[in-house]
């Protein structure tokens, strides 16, 4: 008989220690562990070997991270939301999309 555990953890903004504690405890009994953790997800996205981010992926990750700051750091959330909105407008603008990706700058774009 297999014993499967699913661990869902509310994120701590500074570390993944809480998640690791739960995993260590579950390892004593479980054959399989599924971890549901926004903090661990962010950590793996940022530290995955060979991960290459373009600006849209970074924006998506910022939109994912920002709501976690809302309750604990409302001022950071407010400022961050403004930055994300500004960055989003730039990235999805026609002028930004018209910039060539091969390193040659089109002088007519800007």
């Amino acid at each position: 008989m297999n014993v499967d555990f699913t661990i869902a953890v509310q994120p701590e903004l500074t570390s993944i220690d809480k998640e690791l504690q739960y995993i260590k405890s579950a390892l004593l009994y479980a054959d399989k562990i599924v971890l549901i953790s926004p903090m661990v997800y962010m950590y793996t996205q940022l530290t995955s070997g060979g991960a290459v981010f373009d600006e849209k992926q970074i924006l998506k990750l910022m939109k994912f991270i920002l709501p976690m700051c809302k309750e604990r750091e409302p001022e950071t959330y407010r400022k961050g939301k403004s930055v994300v909105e500004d960055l989003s407008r730039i990235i999805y603008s026609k002028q930004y999309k018209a910039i060539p990706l091969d390193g040659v700058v089109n002088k007519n774009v800007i």
Side-chain angles (χ1 to χ4, degrees), residues 20-69:
L20 293 175
Q21 290 287 21
Y22 285 115
I23 291 171
K24 288 177 186 177
S25 299
L27 282 172
L28 295 171
Y29 306 103
D31 295 310
K32 178 182 170 186
I33 300 172
V34 175
L35 177 63
I36 302 170
S37 167
M39 185 57 124
V40 172
Y41 172 77
M42 289 183 309
Y43 180 79
T44 58
Q45 292 298 303
L46 293 171
T47 60
S48 296
V52 178
F53 292 105
D54 66 14
E55 59 280 357
K56 289 180 183 173
Q57 289 171 312
I58 292 170
L59 184 63
K60 182 179 176 183
L61 193 57
M62 288 171 67
K63 286 180 178 180
F64 179 78
I65 294 168
L66 195 57
M68 288 187 260
C69 299

Side-chain angles (χ1 to χ4, degrees), residues 43-102:
Y43 180 79
T44 58
Q45 292 298 303
L46 293 171
T47 60
S48 296
V52 178
F53 292 105
D54 66 14
E55 59 280 357
K56 289 180 183 173
Q57 289 171 312
I58 292 170
L59 184 63
K60 182 179 176 183
L61 193 57
M62 288 171 67
K63 286 180 178 180
F64 179 78
I65 294 168
L66 195 57
M68 288 187 260
C69 299
K70 189 174 186 176
E71 188 174 316
R72 186 175 281 179
E73 296 287 335
E75 183 65 16
T76 300
Y77 171 78
R78 188 184 62 73
K79 289 178 181 177
K81 187 174 180 198
S82 174
V83 169
V84 167
E85 289 169 355
D86 291 344
L87 185 58
S88 186
R89 275 193 296 279
I90 291 167
I91 289 174
Y92 292 104
S93 71
K94 289 181 182 178
Q95 288 102 352
Y96 188 82
K97 289 179 182 178
I99 297 173
L101 298 176
D102 60 4

Side-chain angles (χ1 to χ4, degrees), residues 2-14:
N2 289 335
V3 178
D4 296 344
F5 276 71
T6 298
I7 302 169
V9 184
Q10 180 179 354
E12 288 289 330
L13 297 178
T14 57

